[in-house]
Amino acid sequence: MTDAVDRQVELTLPMVEDIELAVIKTAADLARKVGMGSVEIDEVSHAIIEACINAREHACCADERIYLRFLGGITTDGRAKLEVWIKDRGVGFDPSKVKPREPGKTDAPRKRGWGLQIMRAHVDDLEINSGADGTTIHMVKFSERRRDD
Amino acid sequence: MTDDLKVTVQRKGDAAVLYTRGYINNLGGEEIASRAYELMDDGIRVLILNLQETKIVNSIGISILIEVIEKMTEKEGRIAFCCLTPVIQKTFQIMGLAQYAKIFPDEASASQELGLPAAS
Ligand SMILES: Nc1ncnc2c1ncn2[C@@H]1O[C@H](COP(=O)(O)OP(=O)(O)OP(=O)(O)O)[C@@H](O)[C@H]1O
Ligand SMILES: [Mg+2]
């Protein structure tokens, strides 16, 4: 298997209600092209949704735009790989100050504050770069199975 | 491109099944909540949420579902979920929903466990 084709898409989208649906459609199309399975596509889609709604809810940026980059490829051992960068030019935040939620540790279930945990659970690698210029979430998803299995 | 959530309700005596179709975002969650509260005001104390036709959710929508579970628990009623995609089920587990409401693979097993009349 020497399929070295990398497929790349870049998008700039307005921060409007349900814009994440357009984003996950782009991601899914690309992931399918590199042979990713449907459950894995569904997982990375749910991670992308959380990153997009965070940008819309928390970034408070003047330009009201989300900048996206998608890179699909095949690993040397034949697994599908999708990388996504989700960037806003908003206020930024300190991820080390966001406390992880613990379900069941209180009487009442926690209602908010799950987005980052959902992202981490659904992808193989998540990197957050945030500062005064805004926030970039970089996620990587691999398929479990090799394409020729 | 809109994928507005549709909710339909089937009443079965003092129980009900609520079927969702589409994206459970904040608006979708609110739609489910308002239908569920209507049913609770009407005396329904056993509610199954069948998510068969829902393929995507977000944390805001689910946080509203948690509120619905809390309201029903206050009224000493019960809520169960069925027909979740693997990823939605995983998301429910992360958010701890599985600890406050039961999750069943299909409506028949949910109905049986909650004592509803057999699915028609
Ligand atoms: N793009 C962003 N810009 C600025 N702040 C952010 C951004 N993303 C996340 N944050 C900060 O990190 C916190 C945690 O985000 P997370 O998604 O985990 O929870 P939430 O958005 O508050 O609630 P939930 O996602 O459960 O609806 C947010 O409350 C916000 O303060
Ligand atoms: Mg969030």
Side-chain angles (χ1 to χ4, degrees), chain A residues 49-51 53-55 57-58 112-116 119, chain B residues 59-60:
Chain A
I49 287 173
E50 293 302 324
I53 62 177
N54 275 356
E57 261 204 313
H58 305 300
R112 296 295 306 272
W114 292 104
L116 292 172
M119 282 181 233
Chain B
S59 55
I60 307 176

Side-chain angles (χ1 to χ4, degrees), chain A residues 35-37 40 43 77-80 124 141-147 149:
Chain A
M36 192 167 279
E40 287 144 350
E43 285 175 332
D77 65 345
R79 295 188 299 157
D124 295 292
K141 182 76 178 173
F142 295 102
S143 62
E144 284 277 312
R145 294 186 50 199
R146 295 158 37 129
R147 293 219 300 182
D149 275 351

Side-chain angles (χ1 to χ4, degrees), chain A residues 54-143:
Chain A
N54 275 356
R56 199 174 60 226
E57 261 204 313
H58 305 300
C60 311
C61 45
D63 72 350
E64 294 278 311
R65 293 271 182 286
I66 308 182
Y67 303 86
L68 300 132
R69 182 171 163 231
F70 307 87
L71 187 63
I74 317 282
T75 62
T76 45
D77 65 345
R79 295 188 299 157
K81 176 182 181 184
L82 180 72
E83 278 186 87
V84 186
W85 290 261
I86 299 154
K87 175 180 153 70
D88 64 64
R89 296 203 175 127
V91 294
F93 73 109
D94 181 351
S96 69
K97 297 229 166 79
V98 178
K99 295 219 170 63
R101 300 303 186 194
E102 292 182 73
K105 286 283 160 69
T106 55
D107 288 343
R110 290 285 190 170
K111 291 198 191 76
R112 296 295 306 272
W114 292 104
L116 292 172
Q117 265 165 282
I118 292 172
M119 282 181 233
R120 287 200 178 93
H122 289 321
V123 297
D124 295 292
D125 193 30
L126 187 92
E127 212 183 323
I128 303 169
N129 273 300
S130 195
D133 299 336
T135 301
T136 301
I137 305 281
H138 173 213
M139 43 181 87
V140 187
K141 182 76 178 173
F142 295 102
S143 62

Side-chain angles (χ1 to χ4, degrees), chain B residues 70-116:
Chain B
E70 281 181 336
K71 284 254 166 61
M72 186 59 117
T73 309
E74 274 168 29
K75 295 182 188 299
E76 288 172 14
R78 283 183 300 160
I79 291 194
F81 291 86
C82 73
C83 311
L84 309 179
T85 69
V87 180
I88 294 177
Q89 175 140 2
K90 183 172 158 190
T91 307
F92 275 28
Q93 242 125 29
I94 298 164
M95 290 182 67
L97 247 85
Q99 282 162 297
Y100 304 95
K102 281 204 166 163
I103 297 170
F104 296 93
D106 50 50
E107 194 181 315
S109 52
S111 299
Q112 192 180 21
E113 178 81 15
L114 272 65
L116 263 72

